[in-house]
Amino acid sequence: MIKRLRISVLTFAALAVALPGKAQFSGQVSEYDFLPQRVYANPALRPSGKLNIGFPGLSNIHLEHHNNWFRPSRILQSDANGNATLDAVQILAGIDKAATTSAGFGMEILHVGLRMKKHYVHVRVAERSQFEISLPRDIFVLGVYGNVGHNEFDNNTADFGGLNINGIHFREYAAGYNYQWNDQLSLGLTAKYLYGMERVFTRESSLQLRTDPNTYALETSGAFLVNTAGIYGTFTDDEDGIHNDVSKYLFGLNNHGMAFDFGGVYEPIKKLKIQVSAHDLGFIRWRSDVATYGTTDASFAFNGIDLTDFIFQTGNEYDEALDAEVQQLLDDLENAYNFERTTESFRTGLNGFFRYGASYELYRNESFRGSVWTNLHHGVGQSLIPTRFALGYNQTLWRVLQGGVHYSKQSGSQGFLGAGLSVQAGFFQLYCMVENLRFLQLTQINLIDSDDNDKRTELIYPSNASDIRLQFGMNFVFGRKTTQESRPMIR
């Protein structure tokens, strides 16, 4: 038995925000009726196979990375020697209200589905994690220009109210059912039990920093509260930490929740299908390894350090006097903010979203089938899911290939071309879907040590990471319908 588990998926996700990587599934997956995973797009959809079994651990791997401000080709300026430096002006030009970086990871551990005439049932188990950090623009302005001078804050006050961190790691156990009500309507429901493993969540953020225009004294105000679960024990030597026992961490935590997906598919006229669905409507109650930090009153005044008390001292006496002043300042901050751990349980929701879709079949024969489709989805409540729109075309070739291309656009970023492909070799199925075909366009960044020019660190990063979503997997599919029978609505 391993006694120390110091690496968690959420910790990995927190580090992965600087790598190409809210785990939400591709909008195009609904248009691939070869795939058992189309139930993720709408629980009222069903695949063409009668018995669908996902390859354990590899039936669906989902990666996401989003960054609305870091563009290497734009913010790095090279000199004549090829050395690049950050262009602060370009960084600020690319930030509207906040600089947001996020990553998501999903892995389907188990998936089994069975069609029985008008009924389709499926069960699945998946590991999911999401992480996002948002830094308000004023933090960057303060770092570039300082609190006075070139930039003037409104009322000489820098607003840090958009400072947020939001991360979650949980496992979901889901059971879904859909029923073909009649020739035009099918309905579906998926119920989920959620097992929480890590959570970090900014409950309140309204910090401000004001600079006196005459004396330059600093004054903070506002509030900042962060709820965490499963984090405290990772970074401390607490013998009761949840990561000390692998079996307890994987199966014995007291973080439980539930969620639901609802959906419907309606065919008002022949060949036209309309979809409506709601996803991840639920919550988790966090009770294990809980730690809440912050203050509801961040009022603190800093009038500077009076150097006249020790400016003429030398050697160790000067160092000790300065250290004492700094330590006193830190003690004053600690007493004012009172950042002590509290352990009350708390409840948080998931990144729920609504999805609306439509598709129209352009033509069909024994060998080929083509359709156009569109969908729109947006977050619910405090969800991190942005508004996204997609428009695409899908083609089926015999009973072997399904492929498609599409254009997608999400709020706060430019649009991209994406594509997907599903290959059926007997009962064996492979598929891959990409939301941004430019995700392999990378920039190599060499970090040079200022003290040792021969010491370099190479960093590879996407040239544009505003919307990177990739999913792939493999399944075993048995008893697929013929092409003519694979229509969702019975004629």
Side-chain angles (χ1 to χ4, degrees), residues 295-400:
T295 177
T296 57
D297 182 10
S299 299
F300 182 80
F302 174 60
N303 296 314
I305 296 177
D306 189 356
L307 296 179
T308 59
D309 291 339
F310 56 89
I311 190 65
F312 297 110
Q313 297 179 7
T314 59
N316 292 335
E317 292 181 351
Y318 175 85
D319 293 339
E320 292 174 359
L322 180 60
D323 289 344
E325 288 286 342
V326 173
Q327 185 60 50
Q328 183 61 50
L329 173 61
L330 294 177
D331 292 341
D332 291 342
L333 282 169
E334 184 177 354
N335 292 331
Y337 292 161
N338 192 28
F339 284 160
E340 294 185 356
R341 178 193 180 194
T342 59
T343 58
E344 294 84 1
S345 65
F346 61 95
R347 190 177 81 168
T348 58
L350 301 184
N351 287 316
F353 64 97
F354 289 128
R355 179 181 178 275
Y356 319 94
S359 64
Y360 185 79
E361 187 176 271
L362 297 176
Y363 62 90
R364 172 196 290 263
N365 57 40
E366 292 183 358
S367 301
F368 307 105
R369 173 161 48 100
S371 61
V372 293
W373 57 269
T374 184
N375 63 56
L376 172 73
H377 53 254
H378 60 81
V380 181
Q382 296 181 339
S383 172
L384 300 179
I385 302 297
T387 299
R388 287 177 176 149
F389 167 80
L391 176 66
Y393 173 80
N394 271 48
Q395 177 72 54
T396 299
L397 303 176
W398 302 283
R399 302 183 64 216
V400 179

Side-chain angles (χ1 to χ4, degrees), residues 79-343:
D79 58 22
N81 297 322
N83 296 321
T85 57
L86 289 174
D87 188 328
V89 175
Q90 288 296 325
I91 292 177
L92 290 175
I95 301 174
D96 183 14
K97 295 181 179 180
T100 301
T101 306
S102 65
F105 172 76
M107 179 180 70
E108 195 174 63
I109 302 171
L110 172 71
H111 189 122
V112 178
L114 178 64
R115 171 171 49 85
M116 299 170 288
K117 297 183 178 179
K118 291 187 175 184
H119 311 270
Y120 184 77
V121 295
H122 81 277
V123 294
R124 64 179 191 257
V125 180
E127 204 86 1
R128 298 172 59 182
S129 66
Q130 301 161 300
F131 183 87
E132 178 174 291
I133 184 169
S134 183
L135 303 176
R137 189 176 190 274
D138 279 5
I139 287 182
F140 291 83
V141 175
L142 188 67
V144 174
Y145 298 117
N147 54 332
V148 295
H150 184 279
N151 182 83
E152 293 185 1
F153 296 105
D154 292 339
N155 193 30
N156 299 300
T157 301
D159 185 3
F160 302 151
L163 178 61
N164 285 288
I165 183 171
N166 198 327
I168 188 171
H169 169 212
F170 64 96
R171 189 183 310 123
E172 70 172 24
Y173 299 86
Y177 169 77
N178 77 47
Y179 178 69
Q180 193 165 300
W181 193 267
N182 55 36
D183 290 350
Q184 295 178 294
L185 177 66
S186 62
L187 301 172
L189 168 67
T190 299
K192 308 173 184 178
Y193 161 69
L194 308 177
Y195 175 76
M197 303 169 85
E198 285 92 17
R199 185 72 164 112
V200 56
F201 170 68
T202 302
R203 192 172 76 193
E204 187 174 354
S205 177
S206 59
L207 293 177
Q208 293 185 333
L209 174 66
R210 184 180 184 276
T211 304
D212 188 285
N214 299 313
T215 66
Y216 303 118
L218 302 178
E219 181 181 354
T220 63
S221 62
F224 189 75
L225 291 172
V226 177
N227 290 125
T228 73
I231 306 295
Y232 179 80
T234 306
F235 300 102
T236 67
D237 294 325
D238 187 347
E239 293 299 326
D240 295 326
I242 66 172
H243 299 85
N244 295 337
D245 187 316
V246 173
S247 61
K248 178 181 178 181
Y249 172 71
L250 294 177
F251 303 105
L253 301 183
N254 193 22
N255 304 320
H256 308 292
M258 59 187 301
F260 296 92
D261 297 347
F262 305 90
V265 179
Y266 181 63
E267 189 172 5
I269 60 174
K270 186 177 181 181
K271 299 183 179 181
L272 174 65
K273 302 177 185 66
I274 298 174
Q275 305 175 26
V276 178
S277 55
H279 303 260
D280 286 341
L281 303 183
F283 66 90
I284 298 177
R285 171 68 71 176
W286 303 89
R287 298 182 177 90
S288 296
D289 197 27
V290 172
T292 297
Y293 295 98
T295 177
T296 57
D297 182 10
S299 299
F300 182 80
F302 174 60
N303 296 314
I305 296 177
D306 189 356
L307 296 179
T308 59
D309 291 339
F310 56 89
I311 190 65
F312 297 110
Q313 297 179 7
T314 59
N316 292 335
E317 292 181 351
Y318 175 85
D319 293 339
E320 292 174 359
L322 180 60
D323 289 344
E325 288 286 342
V326 173
Q327 185 60 50
Q328 183 61 50
L329 173 61
L330 294 177
D331 292 341
D332 291 342
L333 282 169
E334 184 177 354
N335 292 331
Y337 292 161
N338 192 28
F339 284 160
E340 294 185 356
R341 178 193 180 194
T342 59
T343 58

Side-chain angles (χ1 to χ4, degrees), residues 422-468:
S422 173
V423 180
Q424 194 77 33
F427 60 83
F428 186 67
Q429 180 184 90
L430 288 170
Y431 69 94
C432 181
M433 296 180 182
V434 178
E435 291 302 297
N436 180 358
L437 290 174
R438 293 171 56 190
F439 82 102
L440 287 177
Q441 184 179 346
L442 304 173
T443 297
Q444 178 175 318
I445 305 170
N446 294 316
L447 304 178
I448 304 174
D449 192 318
S450 59
D451 298 325
D452 183 1
N453 291 338
D454 294 329
K455 187 177 181 180
R456 297 170 177 248
T457 301
E458 292 185 358
L459 173 64
I460 305 298
Y461 192 78
S463 300
N464 190 331
S466 61
D467 185 8
I468 296 176

